[in-house]
Amino acid sequence: MATSSQSVEKPEPLEPQPEPGPEPGLGHKLQSWQCLVSFLCFYGFMAQMRPGESFITPYLLGPDKNFTQKQVTNEITPVLSYSYLAVLVPVFLLTDYLRYKPVLLLQSLSYISVWLLLLFGRSVLHMQFMEFFFSLTMAARIAYSSYIFSLVHPAHYQRMAGYSRAAVLLGVFASSVLGQLLVTVGRVSFTRLNYLSLAFLTFTLVLTIFLKRPKRSLFFNHSEATHGGASPSELDQMHPGLDGPEGRKLGRTPLEAWWDWTLVRMLRELGNSLRLPQLRLWSLWWVFNSAGYYLIVYYVHILWNVIEPTTDSTKVYNGGVDAASTLLGAITSFAAGFVKIRWALWAKLVIGVVTALQAGLVFLMYRTNSISLCYVAFVLFRGSYQFLVPIATSSSTLCTSCCCPLPTSWRLHWGSCGTSSGTATSPCPWPRS
């Protein structure tokens, strides 16, 4: 039998394949994100550059405006508290509905209105309008802190929050130091200091115009279609199925449509959250302690003028005290992140001790006749408040992220919870009551 020899073909050498390169457009996206971060941080820094803010009260009581202490205490300053209460919730809702940028423009225009009224207003009514516009700027602060989460990828939320907070604190510190140096060393009058503040705020308005307007927001605006598919909002992701944007349009009775209305859904989520006792505790602390904190901040400059009336503007150290309290607040906020105790067990004790310390410092400011001692007490008062703020945010976020699925950007706006990625590290230690 003849054997047939089969020829074995040699395999052709494979051509070397090019190494996979980076994903197309990845470098451009990274560069774009870095530019966005830089611009937002610069904007956050410049928005705080108001060197005349620490000296508004002595400016009103001084020869430039010549208002009496009774007018400033009883007729002008209270407008800020009540108008802030009135505009806070509407501005919050408008911030989300209008997608942030219009509210940031409103804030910049309100700041300019504040300083125009300060410089050119003459009557008590003008100053009351000034306080009203100042309340708008305070209520609109949430627009910046929420705006940053709507523009960047969720993977960058934590870093972005850190960068923006650092920019704001640095801006407040730099503004206070600049104002104090100009008054004490440069002997600049309060009027010129306010003109400088107006110039900074006008520049900030120009920066606001160039801010990018987001395409989505937390509650009212769903994400636009990407890659041929619709991206649901964060509340839709929490309640998929018929609660989604498409399911809502089909087969909904009027009662169901009302039940699914955005504001009603917000109230439902709030009710679910407040069933958690630990969250209730920190929420109550936040409401009452913040109310006291802001009242002290509003009126303390009047108290300083009572203890030591302004006769020489170069010896007014309001800016230096604000700078010191901002620096101490940043340090205590940072240190609070390293406190490792069981907050479910010790939260009430810590809140009680810190609140008692704050009450003692307020009583000391009221009783002392030493302006230096009053300055120190105020710095410690602000530092103690800032110490509990990150603890309250992290405790609230841990509780809601474990037991109540609030939106991601809302939780990350409140603070980190457990890990740097915003996820909880342990089961919820606080059962619902």
Side-chain angles (χ1 to χ4, degrees):
M1 182 163 76
T3 34
S4 60
S5 62
Q6 299 178 352
S7 59
V8 181
E9 296 181 358
K10 294 183 179 180
E12 296 182 1
L14 296 175
E15 295 182 1
Q17 298 293 330
E19 295 184 1
E23 183 183 345
L26 186 60
H28 175 71
K29 289 181 180 178
L30 181 60
Q31 184 179 7
S32 174
W33 184 82
Q34 291 173 343
C35 292
L36 181 62
V37 170
S38 302
F39 184 77
L40 285 176
C41 289
F42 180 66
Y43 168 80
F45 175 86
M46 290 305 304
Q48 306 304 317
M49 291 301 294
R50 306 182 296 273
E53 184 173 339
S54 299
F55 303 94
I56 289 179
T57 299
Y59 175 68
L60 294 177
L61 295 171
D64 295 301
K65 294 300 175 183
N66 205 27
F67 291 108
T68 65
Q69 182 179 314
K70 184 177 180 180
Q71 287 176 317
V72 174
T73 306
N74 298 337
E75 299 180 44
I76 297 176
T77 305
V79 175
L80 175 60
S81 304
Y82 294 116
S83 56
Y84 178 58
L85 177 65
V87 302
L88 181 60
V89 173
V91 169
F92 166 73
L93 296 176
L94 282 175
T95 297
D96 191 90
Y97 184 75
L98 299 176
R99 288 177 290 160
Y100 312 113
K101 182 176 177 178
V103 178
L104 290 173
L105 284 169
L106 173 66
Q107 184 186 45
S108 297
L109 291 172
S110 298
Y111 267 130
I112 291 176
S113 301
V114 167
W115 260 265
L116 286 175
L117 286 167
L118 266 177
L119 288 167
F120 303 110
R122 294 298 173 189
S123 66
V124 171
L125 181 61
H126 291 156
M127 296 303 107
Q128 289 174 335
F129 272 109
M130 179 270 294
E131 295 286 13
F132 170 74
F133 282 114
F134 208 101
S135 70
L136 283 178
T137 67
M138 293 182 60
R141 289 176 184 175
I142 192 174
Y144 175 71
S145 56
S146 304
Y147 171 83
I148 58 177
F149 296 119
S150 65
L151 290 178
V152 298
H153 191 273
H156 302 310
Y157 278 0
Q158 292 292 331
R159 266 196 296 169
M160 194 63 204
Y163 293 155
S164 61
R165 178 173 173 80
V168 168
L169 289 176
L170 185 60
V172 174
F173 180 77
S175 175
S176 302
V177 171
L178 176 63
Q180 189 63 61
L181 290 176
L182 290 175
V183 168
T184 305
V185 180
R187 297 182 177 273
V188 175
S189 66
F190 293 149
T191 301
R192 290 184 179 179
L193 200 63
N194 286 324
Y195 274 112
L196 179 61
S197 300
L198 182 61
F200 276 124
L201 293 170
T202 304
F203 178 67
T204 303
L205 175 61
V206 176
L207 293 179
T208 310
I209 295 174
F210 291 98
L211 287 174
K212 178 182 177 183
R213 190 178 185 187
K215 296 180 180 179
R216 63 183 177 88
S217 62
L218 179 57
F219 294 110
F220 290 101
N221 299 287
H222 299 169
S223 301
E224 293 188 357
T226 25
H227 303 293
S231 261
S233 67
E234 293 192 58
L235 284 177
D236 293 328
Q237 293 174 11
M238 291 159 46
H239 303 285
L242 289 178
D243 284 337
E246 296 299 326
R248 246 184 258 121
K249 300 178 183 178
L250 302 175
R252 308 294 285 178
T253 65
L255 180 61
E256 290 173 333
W258 177 85
W259 183 251
D260 200 47
W261 189 38
T262 301
L263 292 178
V264 177
R265 297 175 72 197
M266 292 169 63
L267 293 176
R268 284 158 48 197
E269 295 301 330
L270 178 62
N272 291 334
S273 301
L274 292 182
R275 291 172 59 192
L276 306 170
Q278 193 74 5
L279 185 58
R280 281 201 307 267
L281 172 66
W282 286 109
S283 297
L284 288 173
W285 171 85
W286 205 307
V287 169
F288 291 105
N289 201 281
S290 295
Y293 170 80
Y294 284 114
L295 284 174
I296 295 299
V297 171
Y298 295 159
Y299 285 93
V300 73
H301 291 175
I302 301 175
L303 175 64
W304 294 344
N305 193 79
V306 171
I307 296 175
E308 187 170 298
T310 303
T311 54
D312 183 3
S313 61
T314 61
K315 294 183 179 179
V316 177
Y317 299 105
N318 296 11
V321 176
D322 286 341
S325 59
T326 300
L327 183 60
L328 180 62
I331 294 173
T332 55
S333 297
F334 181 77
F338 296 92
V339 177
K340 303 296 183 182
I341 64 174
R342 293 179 59 189
W343 290 109
L345 182 63
W346 299 103
K348 292 181 181 179
L349 178 62
V350 173
I351 289 176
V353 170
V354 173
T355 304
L357 173 63
Q358 290 176 314
L361 292 170
V362 172
F363 185 75
L364 176 62
M365 285 189 283
Y366 167 72
R367 295 293 299 178
T368 184
N369 292 320
S370 169
I371 189 64
S372 300
L373 189 57
C374 194
Y375 284 158
V376 172
F378 178 70
V379 171
L380 294 175
F381 173 82
R382 289 191 69 176
S384 61
Y385 173 80
Q386 294 296 336
F387 171 74
L388 279 186
V389 165
I391 297 174
T393 54
S394 60
S395 298
S396 303
T397 306
L398 176 61
C399 204
T400 54
S401 61
C402 292
C403 307
C404 186
L406 290 180
T408 305
S409 59
W410 198 355
R411 287 188 276 111
L412 288 170
H413 167 61
W414 284 349
S416 172
C417 79
T419 66
S420 60
S421 62
T423 56
T425 55
S426 61
C428 181
W430 306 300
R432 299 176 186 270
S433 59

